[in-house]
Amino acid sequence: MLEAIDLVKRYGSVQALDGFNLSVAAGEIVGLVGHNGAGKTTFVEIVSHLIRPDSGHVTIDGRPPSATSGRVGVAPQHIALYPSITVREHLELFGKLAGLRRAALQSAIDDLVVALRLNDFIDRHTAGLSGGQQRRTQAATALVHRPGLLLLDEPTAGADLETREAMLDVVKQRAGEGAAVVYTTHYLPELTELQATIAVARNGRVIARGTYEELVDGLPGEVRLLLDNGEELTVSTTDPAATLIDMLGRAEHPISAVDVRNPSLDDLYRSLAVSDAS
Ligand code: ATP
């Protein structure tokens, strides 16, 4: 559905993309992760036709980004809403721009009001909304015309639990209906919940791609015990359950707290840096 081949983008002396390749099939969710500055947003902006690459190609269903209006839904990383119109007016505007009319538009709005829980603020101006309400509104503008390709750039940044749950549910639903999704995030648990394929970007290129099991399972997490004498025991392990049982058996003082940490994105980045260097 989406194919990006060898994208290069330079800003002065900064190489934002340096041979960036990524493909996303219909119905697939690709979680695009990477350190700040890895090139994720630049990639999203090129696919959205907001900027042009210096070289390389992007096709969406075989067409260039310039010829795909109405087939792509974009929720940019930074909130980009009109402050003096309401949430409903945003959805009407974006729906009409994509060609929806009357009953089809109304039914698309009704669906999103439920899916993204917009009801409490649908008739309020966006300037007065909370950060999470603005995030949900922005996602709704990307989703209203049921695009075949969704580009969601950190859609849950700063979001509360309710916003995050609603966002993940609607993304899963749309992928289930056949949409290709690019979802950038700094939160690994969201990608396991979405059962996304993970693509790791670094220095302007994708350096690894695979399922959670392929990339992250097997990396060490951490088990931490806090004893009531103030002592703290931390063990790095690939088998937290067995390690925890072992540590509980050995602890010489009563235990006041237990913390089990699964592998994080930083653990993944570290492991890729090691495999890169070797
Ligand atoms: P983050 O996780 O912080 O959002 P990112 O992976 O999305 O980061 P990009 O925003 O794509 O990274 O930025 C890639 C590189 O390109 C960075 O070094 C950034 O400073 C630079 N860059 C991006 N946009 C511009 C611009 N308009 N002008 C100059 N440099 C830019």
Side-chain angles (χ1 to χ4, degrees):
M1 204 293 168
L2 169 63
E3 188 106 44
I5 300 169
D6 223 4
L7 295 177
V8 172
K9 179 73 186 176
R10 180 177 271 282
Y11 289 105
S13 61
V14 176
Q15 188 80 47
L17 296 186
D18 185 17
F20 193 104
N21 291 293
L22 190 67
S23 59
V24 187
E28 184 181 24
I29 304 173
V30 170
L32 181 57
V33 300
H35 285 130
N36 295 133
K40 305 178 297 291
T41 297
T42 303
F43 167 71
V44 168
E45 288 174 347
I46 289 173
V47 178
S48 317
H49 193 46
L50 290 174
I51 59 172
R52 291 168 66 92
D54 299 334
S55 60
H57 297 280
V58 173
T59 55
I60 298 161
D61 267 343
R63 300 172 190 213
S66 56
T68 52
S69 94
R71 291 160 178 255
V72 182
V74 188
Q77 184 177 132
H78 300 292
I79 297 287
L81 299 170
Y82 300 101
S84 58
I85 65 171
T86 68
V87 175
R88 187 189 304 281
E89 286 163 344
H90 273 84
L91 299 186
E92 288 170 351
L93 174 66
F94 280 78
K96 282 179 186 165
L97 285 173
L100 291 182
R101 296 285 179 272
R102 297 188 190 88
L105 178 58
Q106 191 52 53
S107 134
I109 294 174
D110 291 346
D111 284 353
L112 283 171
V113 167
V114 175
L116 284 169
R117 304 170 202 170
L118 307 176
N119 210 26
D120 290 348
F121 54 91
I122 180 94
D123 288 312
R124 284 172 54 192
H125 291 170
T126 58
L129 300 182
S130 72
Q133 290 167 337
Q134 291 186 354
R135 280 267 167 230
R136 278 185 263 167
T137 304
Q138 178 142 295
T141 62
L143 291 159
V144 68
H145 54 299
R146 296 200 163 271
L149 174 64
L150 268 171
L151 304 170
L152 305 175
D153 197 355
E154 298 191 32
T156 56
D160 63 8
L161 192 62
E162 188 196 7
T163 300
R164 189 172 295 240
E165 278 177 1
M167 201 76 81
L168 296 182
D169 284 349
V170 79
V171 170
K172 278 188 274 188
Q173 182 202 340
R174 292 300 175 90
E177 292 167 7
V181 182
V182 176
Y183 188 103
T184 82
T185 183
H186 290 286
Y187 305 114
L188 188 54
E190 292 187 352
L191 300 184
T192 52
E193 185 162 347
L194 290 170
Q195 298 186 311
T197 305
I198 300 171
V200 185
R202 188 166 69 210
N203 297 337
R205 46 172 72 206
V206 173
I207 58 161
R209 178 188 168 124
T211 61
Y212 178 88
E213 288 71 22
E214 286 165 344
L215 293 183
V216 183
D217 246 11
L219 292 181
E222 225 171 55
V223 178
R224 202 161 58 92
L225 293 192
L226 193 61
L227 308 183
D228 79 346
N229 65 347
E231 201 183 336
E232 195 180 303
L233 305 173
T234 304
V235 173
S236 171
T237 173
T238 53
D239 187 350
T243 303
L244 177 59
I245 290 167
D246 184 52
M247 290 171 78
L248 291 174
R250 288 160 180 262
E252 289 176 354
H253 289 273
I255 291 150
S256 53
V258 173
D259 182 34
V260 177
R261 187 179 65 71
N262 289 319
S264 65
L265 274 176
D266 278 331
D267 295 320
L268 173 60
Y269 300 153
R270 265 195 295 275
S271 80
L272 290 170
V274 169
S275 60
D276 244 20
S278 59

